[in-house]
Amino acid sequence: MARGAVGFVLVLAAVSPVSADTLAEALEAAYLNSGLLEQNRATLRAADEDVAQALAELRPVLRWSGDVQRTYGRSGSFSTSAGRFVQGGSITNDASINLIAEIVLYAGGRNKLALEATKEQVLATRAGLIAVEQQVLLRAVGAFMNIRRYSETVGLRENNVRVIQQEVRAARDRFEVGEVTRTDVALAEARLAAARAALAAAQGDLLVAGEEYLAAVGKPPRNLINPRSLPKLPSSVADAKRQALRQHPDLTAQQHSVTAAELTILIAEGAKKPTVSLQGSYGVTEDFNDGDFSRGGSITLGASGPIYSGGALDSAVRKSLANRDAARGRLHVVLREIEQNVGQAYANLRVSQANRTSFEEQVRAATVAFQGVREEAKLGARTTLDVLDAEQELLDARASLISAQVDEAIASYQVLSSLGLLTATALHLNVPSFDPAAYYNMVKTAPRARSKQGAELDRVLKALGKE
């Protein structure tokens, strides 16, 4: 299935002067208002900066140092000619400033490997951001559809209360003329009290759903318009599993984590190799007492390497091997989880579809039964209790149908999420596009603050801080 095929069409059921939100608009609001997305985008920027810092390790370092020094002391000796001790003192003041440049020429390949490892972590973090985006949108879908579930349930309960109130009045009228007993009236009154309690419970559920909608979408619900179509999905579970294993962000993230873990092994082994560095320095020293000064510099080629580290280096290699094995094991788990999630999502979808079909038939049959029982009661062939029972069965069937329809819609988007396609791009949402490589491209060369690129980066950071 092509990415473009997962887009869905949302059509207004009717033109209304009251402001309303479609599912697409709710998803767009959830995407734009999500603090979780902002949090993980900041995490991605931090991972991008790790690449800049790893690159900096390959470059020369230039630094300065300076000091001002004052030395003083006293000395004395016994003068035989003077017959006493002769003392003297001296104070010197000097200052120096030095410029030092240093570059690591060879470090067992550790620095280059560290750069590659951080790049893999960036790619893993990008995939993780897509997974978070799916969580945000799936939560918004559930919040939107549950508003429908509970609002329509409230409507049914309100209508049920009105119908039973009419039944209570009718029962009382018939009791007055002797057609029914006090028991029939009491039954109708008891059912009315139960209906009012059920209405209060449904209204409470709707309030709770409204709070969840506000948290998931970022704004309160307003006259939500139900979608008239659901996303197109692969027809078979096998095709869906193959598609998920090609593109699911959880799998992509873990694959890059495995690669980073393998590079960490090489880094740990490189720590056993020698390090070669080149250092150059130039400085000026001046004596304030006599005005003398000196200047000069030096160039040093140095090498060092471990001889005995108490077993720490070997332990680091073994640890990196264990972490690599753990990452590979996690990759295997993720593979199985993705296949399992696809299978479960399709199973839930099939169940909800079957339930919807069954409840549609139940509503049809319960409607006919209720109408028949009510007419028969007017002729005296049915009791008030028979009418109330038939009305309750019809109400339960309608409520079950609503829940089945909502469950089917949520299950459809759960399938989409299990495929890795519940994203703003795949759904063609009208939101600003987010380029995960944009910030990386700005910092991957580790620009200086005073450079042109550094100034541009400062503007980006200021803009992010104002959001």
Side-chain angles (χ1 to χ4, degrees):
M1 182 181 68
R3 280 181 173 267
V6 303
F8 55 84
V9 180
L10 296 176
V11 182
L12 295 180
V15 178
S16 172
V18 180
S19 180
D21 287 335
T22 63
L23 177 56
E25 290 170 339
L27 294 178
E28 291 164 4
Y31 182 89
L32 295 174
N33 298 327
S34 174
L36 188 59
L37 276 176
E38 289 302 319
Q39 171 190 336
N40 282 271
R41 286 171 181 172
T43 300
L44 177 58
R45 293 197 299 271
D48 293 340
E49 294 292 353
D50 288 338
V51 174
Q53 294 180 26
L55 177 62
E57 294 294 326
L58 297 173
R59 293 175 173 176
V61 176
L62 182 64
R63 66 181 188 276
W64 64 270
S65 67
D67 62 77
V68 177
Q69 184 179 41
R70 181 175 185 176
T71 60
Y72 55 90
R74 298 184 66 84
S75 62
S77 63
F78 183 79
S79 175
T80 55
S81 60
R84 59 184 175 84
F85 281 97
V86 178
Q87 298 182 359
S90 63
I91 298 176
T92 61
N93 298 283
D94 56 66
S96 65
I97 185 168
N98 299 278
L99 191 63
I100 304 164
E102 184 176 9
I103 185 172
V104 176
L105 300 178
Y106 177 75
R110 297 192 302 273
N111 292 343
K112 291 183 178 179
L113 291 169
L115 176 61
E116 296 304 316
T118 54
K119 289 180 179 179
E120 292 296 329
Q121 290 295 350
V122 165
L123 295 175
T125 306
R126 289 181 188 177
L129 179 59
I130 297 176
V132 170
E133 181 180 339
Q134 292 208 138
Q135 296 172 17
V136 169
L137 296 180
L138 183 59
R139 182 185 181 187
V141 169
F144 184 98
M145 297 309 301
N146 279 324
I147 289 291
R148 176 198 173 189
R149 185 200 307 270
Y150 296 119
S151 62
E152 294 195 16
T153 299
V154 167
L156 286 175
R157 296 297 179 186
E158 290 174 341
N159 184 65
N160 184 44
V161 169
R162 288 191 295 270
V163 171
I164 296 180
Q165 284 175 336
Q166 295 174 358
E167 295 292 342
V168 170
R169 286 194 295 268
R172 288 171 179 170
D173 293 340
R174 295 171 68 186
F175 172 75
E176 293 295 334
V177 298
E179 293 183 3
V180 297
T181 66
R182 169 59 67 180
T183 301
D184 292 309
V185 176
L187 287 171
E189 291 173 343
R191 191 62 63 89
L192 176 59
R196 286 172 174 166
L199 173 59
Q203 290 171 336
D205 290 338
L206 181 58
L207 289 175
V208 173
E211 294 298 329
E212 168 61 14
Y213 186 94
L214 178 60
V217 178
K219 62 179 182 178
R222 52 176 190 177
N223 194 29
L224 303 185
I225 299 174
N226 297 323
R228 295 183 59 183
S229 64
L230 298 177
K232 296 179 181 179
L233 304 170
S235 57
S236 70
V237 177
D239 290 342
K241 288 183 177 181
R242 285 192 292 269
Q243 184 175 349
L245 293 178
R246 289 196 304 267
Q247 64 195 16
H248 201 283
D250 288 347
L251 181 60
T252 302
Q254 191 57 35
Q255 288 172 334
H256 289 297
S257 294
V258 170
T259 304
E262 292 171 344
L263 291 170
T264 303
I265 298 174
L266 301 178
I267 294 172
E269 292 175 342
K272 298 180 179 181
K273 299 178 181 180
T275 300
V276 179
S277 61
L278 179 66
Q279 183 183 85
S281 63
Y282 182 83
V284 177
T285 302
E286 182 176 359
D287 187 335
F288 294 151
N289 291 341
D290 54 18
D292 293 339
F293 70 92
S294 62
R295 66 181 65 176
S298 65
I299 298 178
T300 304
L301 180 64
S304 64
I307 296 178
Y308 176 71
S309 62
L313 296 179
D314 292 327
S315 176
V317 173
R318 294 193 298 271
K319 179 180 178 180
S320 59
L321 287 169
N323 288 334
R324 186 273 315 274
D325 294 341
R328 288 179 175 176
R330 177 59 186 162
L331 177 61
H332 179 76
V333 171
V334 170
L335 283 168
R336 301 286 79 81
E337 285 180 347
I338 290 174
E339 290 184 326
Q340 179 185 4
N341 291 339
V342 171
Q344 289 179 344
Y346 265 90
N348 291 334
L349 179 60
R350 299 291 185 255
V351 169
S352 60
Q353 289 172 337
N355 286 340
R356 174 181 53 77
T357 301
S358 298
F359 288 130
E360 286 174 346
E361 180 61 25
Q362 183 181 0
V363 167
R364 186 197 63 77
T367 300
V368 174
F370 172 65
Q371 293 171 348
V373 169
R374 187 168 54 183
E375 292 301 320
E376 292 173 1
K378 293 179 181 179
L379 301 175
R382 295 282 184 172
T383 66
T384 300
L385 181 60
D386 293 332
V387 176
L388 295 174
D389 287 341
E391 195 274 338
Q392 186 63 46
E393 288 182 4
L394 176 58
L395 173 68
D396 292 341
R398 287 174 174 171
S400 297
L401 176 58
I402 292 171
S403 289
Q405 291 170 339
V406 169
D407 290 339
E408 181 183 6
I410 295 176
S412 297
Y413 285 95
Q414 286 175 337
V415 171
L416 206 61
S417 176
S418 71
L419 298 176
L421 289 174
L422 189 57
T423 64
T425 300
L427 296 177
H428 306 294
L429 299 182
N430 184 24
V431 294
S433 60
F434 175 76
D435 182 5
Y439 189 84
Y440 173 83
N441 291 333
M442 297 183 68
V443 302
K444 66 180 181 180
T445 58
R448 295 182 299 109
R450 294 182 178 85
S451 66
K452 180 179 179 181
Q453 192 171 2
E456 182 180 354
L457 184 58
D458 287 340
R459 288 193 295 272
V460 172
L461 293 174
K462 288 180 180 178
L464 288 172
K466 294 178 181 179
E467 290 181 354

